[in-house]
Amino acid sequence: MDRLPLQALAAFHEVVRHGGVRAAARHLGIAHSAVSRRLCELERAAGAPLLQPRRHPGDAIGLTRRGQEIADAAEAAFARLHLALHRERRPAHARELVVSTTESFATRWLLPRLPAFRQAHPRTRISVSVRSDLVDLSREQVDIALRMGAGPWPNARPWMDDALVPVASPSLLRRRTPWPLKTLRDLPLLHDHDPNAAWSRWRDGPGPATLDVSQGQSFPSSHLVIEAAAQGLGVALARRRLARRELDSGVLVQPFGPYEIPLPQAYWIVMPGNGKVPAALERFVDWLQARAGD
């Protein structure tokens, strides 16, 4: 343990979470150069580069395969540490449910709706554990998992559908929409690491068939790729549920009209498989099912 670079791991974790070294430095309250030194330390320990080289100074970060592996491990480890440190701080009279999900889904769908659940069920507290991998509910201190993907998983039930839609900032387009689909070839693409949101699916569906899906910047989460689109960096192929806030407010638009790729079983509720479900968890699942139309 004395050789484990904990400070370097923490700095790398914040770089991935915030999408860059400078943003991580601001969050940690340390110098940009200090974060860079810690990244170099972690790369020496890992024996490989963790960040992909940037083609242009303003490009967002991209992770190498080794970097993604360590980022996933760090995210899971810090989430478990946070849960262990804070689990005993809850009042004895309250029932706490620990919900495991991805950072993007927590940020863009779950957290904005939790105040309504708290108002309806004030004695049940929700603690969110952010992880990119699917936890084993029988072994970890987690009550329920919410997942995006094709599924199915053990003890999982289909929950919500979705659709993939191209989204962009009006400032990028500079003229009225909708545009013909062929004009997508002239716009920079923004890529999500979510395999279900790959631009190749759009090329092989609505098209155009000649779309070069190798060009453009990539981002480690759905949340960051939507933020990048909102900043005018390019066109993102987004899950409509996750981009709804920006679409409703006009921060993002669908430049190609009603075209979409349906995702019929896009979200899943993963339940424990070890016997009777507590009443508080049943209430939370009922509430989730009622919000499926949001």
Side-chain angles (χ1 to χ4, degrees):
M1 286 295 294
D2 58 340
R3 296 187 178 183
L4 191 64
L6 292 176
Q7 286 189 329
L9 281 166
F12 177 59
H13 179 59
E14 297 302 330
V15 168
V16 174
R17 283 186 63 213
H18 295 279
V21 172
R22 293 190 183 278
R26 286 194 297 270
H27 177 78
L28 293 169
I30 60 178
H32 171 272
S33 58
V35 176
S36 297
R37 286 195 299 271
R38 292 179 187 180
L39 288 180
C40 291
E41 177 188 355
L42 188 59
E43 288 184 330
R44 288 194 297 270
L50 304 180
L51 303 180
Q52 295 177 352
R54 299 188 181 193
R55 297 180 181 178
H56 306 288
D59 286 356
I61 64 163
L63 299 178
T64 62
R65 181 175 298 179
R66 183 72 167 137
Q68 188 65 56
E69 177 187 5
I70 293 176
D72 290 344
E75 182 181 18
F78 283 122
R80 293 183 67 183
L81 282 170
H82 177 83
L83 182 61
L85 286 170
H86 297 286
R87 175 170 286 273
E88 297 306 321
R89 292 171 54 183
R90 63 189 180 191
H93 68 277
R95 172 68 172 104
E96 182 182 61
L97 295 178
V98 181
V99 182
S100 173
T101 191
T102 64
E103 183 172 5
S104 293
F105 189 76
T107 301
R108 298 198 147 265
W109 194 94
L110 181 60
L111 292 182
R113 291 165 174 79
L114 280 184
F117 178 82
R118 183 174 58 188
Q119 184 176 7
H121 305 283
R123 293 179 59 85
T124 302
R125 297 178 56 189
I126 303 296
S127 177
V128 180
S129 173
V130 173
R131 307 198 36 172
S132 59
D133 60 321
L134 182 63
V135 299
D136 184 346
L137 272 63
S138 65
R139 300 178 60 183
E140 309 239 5
Q141 294 179 325
V142 172
D143 296 291
I144 185 174
L146 307 177
R147 285 296 167 216
M148 303 187 299
W153 295 279
N155 303 311
R157 59 183 69 174
W159 177 26
M160 299 191 298
D161 60 3
D162 209 338
L164 298 175
V165 293
V167 297
S169 167
S171 65
L172 178 72
L173 305 172
R174 296 181 181 175
R175 73 176 190 179
R176 296 181 63 184
T177 56
W179 283 23
L181 283 171
K182 64 181 181 181
T183 58
L184 186 57
R185 295 176 300 188
D186 304 321
L187 295 170
L189 302 183
L190 303 176
H191 300 270
D192 190 343
H193 285 189
D194 176 3
N196 295 289
W199 272 108
S200 57
R201 298 191 64 178
W202 188 266
R203 177 200 60 197
D204 299 339
T210 54
L211 180 66
D212 180 7
V213 298
S214 66
Q215 62 92 2
Q217 301 169 239
S218 63
F219 298 84
S221 72
S222 301
H223 173 62
L224 285 178
V225 81
I226 293 170
E227 288 289 323
Q231 297 300 320
L233 297 181
V235 184
L237 187 59
R239 291 172 178 258
R240 183 159 48 207
R241 286 187 186 271
L242 301 190
R244 178 162 292 165
R245 180 177 59 203
E246 287 81 1
L247 287 169
D248 289 346
S249 66
V251 171
L252 291 174
V253 298
Q254 294 179 226
F256 304 104
Y259 293 100
E260 64 179 35
I261 296 178
L263 299 175
Q265 291 183 342
Y267 304 92
W268 300 74
I269 298 174
V270 184
M271 299 287 289
N274 53 359
K276 185 178 179 180
V277 176
L281 182 54
E282 287 185 346
R283 286 193 295 269
F284 183 61
V285 171
D286 289 344
W287 177 81
L288 289 172
Q289 296 283 18
R291 303 307 294 261
D294 288 3

